Amino acid sequence: QQQVKQSPQSLIVQKGGISIINCAYENTAFDYFPWYQQFPGKGPALLIAIRPDVSEKKEGRFTISFNKSAKQFSLHIMDSQPGDSATYFCAASPGGDSNYQLIWGAGTKLIIKP
Amino acid sequence: SQTIHQWPATLVQPVGSPLSLECTVEGTSNPNLYWYRQAAGRGLQLLFYSVGIGQISSEVPQNLSASRPQDRQFILSSKKLLLSDSGFYLCAWSRGAEDTQYFGPGTRLTVL
């Protein structure tokens, strides 16, 4: 119940295309869903995050779509650029006193072909 | 602004040798602190977290240990390294009441 399942494991997208990464969870107590971006040799950095009171959050070319009933959330990267090539991690947190317990997906290696 | 430092950036150690990795945070007080390990091409494995000085919780039993001697200092140690300890070690912090974790630059550890 504590797992976050992320897919695909790797993804190749043409420049200008839409990159879509999906995550699914089981624990209905999760109430915070961040996405992190990691470049090789660097630590992950927060990209965008959503709480379940909204179904979508957009920041520039990055959008999180959230489906509470299906217990799924996804990251969409519009107009994908070579600079977006990185590993992306979804995560979920139960919040409250356990808000340090981020449960991580396994990661998706995204390659944008020029 | 807050910054997080880790050192060393890279480390090559023989099997059976001790380990000490250090993480410090600047610009905030009483942060939650975390140690993660990331194997090559894999996800993040939470090793330890701390909500205060001297308070350490272990997520994965192993030959590693952590200590928090000061509010903004977090140390990862081992008495005897194993080959399987090789990996990318990441320190992170978060504010007590918030969820976002901010990561340091990481330490690449190779055990030979």
Side-chain angles (χ1 to χ4, degrees):
Chain A
Q1 255 211 336
Q2 285 293 84
Q3 281 187 329
V4 175
K5 295 182 179 179
Q6 183 172 347
S7 63
Q9 189 174 10
S10 62
L11 180 63
I12 300 174
V13 175
Q14 288 293 129
K15 177 183 175 183
I18 303 173
S19 304
I20 302 174
I21 304 171
N22 300 299
C23 285
Y25 63 97
E26 291 293 327
N27 190 343
T28 55
F30 288 157
D31 73 346
Y32 175 68
F33 303 90
W35 284 90
Y36 282 78
Q37 180 188 55
Q38 184 181 29
F39 293 105
K42 305 292 184 184
L46 179 69
L47 185 64
I48 187 172
I50 197 169
R51 294 198 183 269
D53 52 342
V54 295
S55 60
E56 186 176 281
K57 182 174 181 179
K58 185 175 181 180
E59 291 184 2
R61 296 183 294 107
F62 301 92
T63 300
I64 298 180
S65 296
F66 185 79
N67 186 330
K68 190 173 181 178
S69 61
K71 289 184 282 187
Q72 295 175 348
F73 58 110
S74 60
L75 175 69
H76 295 235
I77 306 174
M78 312 299 287
D79 187 26
S80 299
Q81 299 296 312
D84 297 330
S85 297
T87 299
Y88 292 81
F89 293 96
C90 64
S93 169
D97 288 340
S98 300
N99 66 2
Y100 45 74
Q101 289 282 23
L102 271 180
I103 309 299
W104 295 83
T108 296
K109 185 173 183 179
L110 174 64
I111 297 172
I112 307 300
K113 287 191 136 183
Chain B
S1 64
Q2 300 82 23
T3 55
I4 179 169
H5 303 279
Q6 283 186 249
W7 63 89
T10 59
L11 189 60
V12 180
Q13 292 283 93
V15 170
S17 64
L19 173 73
S20 181
L21 302 181
E22 189 165 344
C23 170
T24 59
V25 181
E26 297 177 355
T28 188
S29 59
N30 196 32
N32 288 350
L33 296 171
Y34 314 82
W35 277 113
Y36 288 89
R37 177 169 59 200
Q38 186 175 30
R42 304 289 295 276
L44 297 164
Q45 179 187 32
L46 179 63
L47 302 175
F48 301 95
Y49 63 88
S50 171
V51 298
I53 295 175
Q55 301 178 63
I56 310 293
S57 295
S58 174
E59 289 296 299
V60 182
Q62 55 210 324
N63 69 319
L64 299 173
S65 62
S67 61
R68 185 170 177 173
Q70 300 181 43
D71 181 45
R72 290 168 289 175
Q73 184 184 31
F74 206 22
I75 297 172
L76 182 69
S77 304
S78 173
K79 292 182 180 178
K80 286 186 178 182
L81 284 168
L82 305 172
L83 283 174
S84 58
D85 291 325
S86 292
F88 192 45
Y89 287 82
L90 290 157
C91 180
W93 74 273
S94 69
R95 293 186 178 86
E98 296 183 12
D99 305 307
T100 301
Q101 292 185 14
Y102 301 93
F103 286 81
T107 295
R108 174 77 58 194
L109 172 66
T110 303
V111 182
L112 301 175

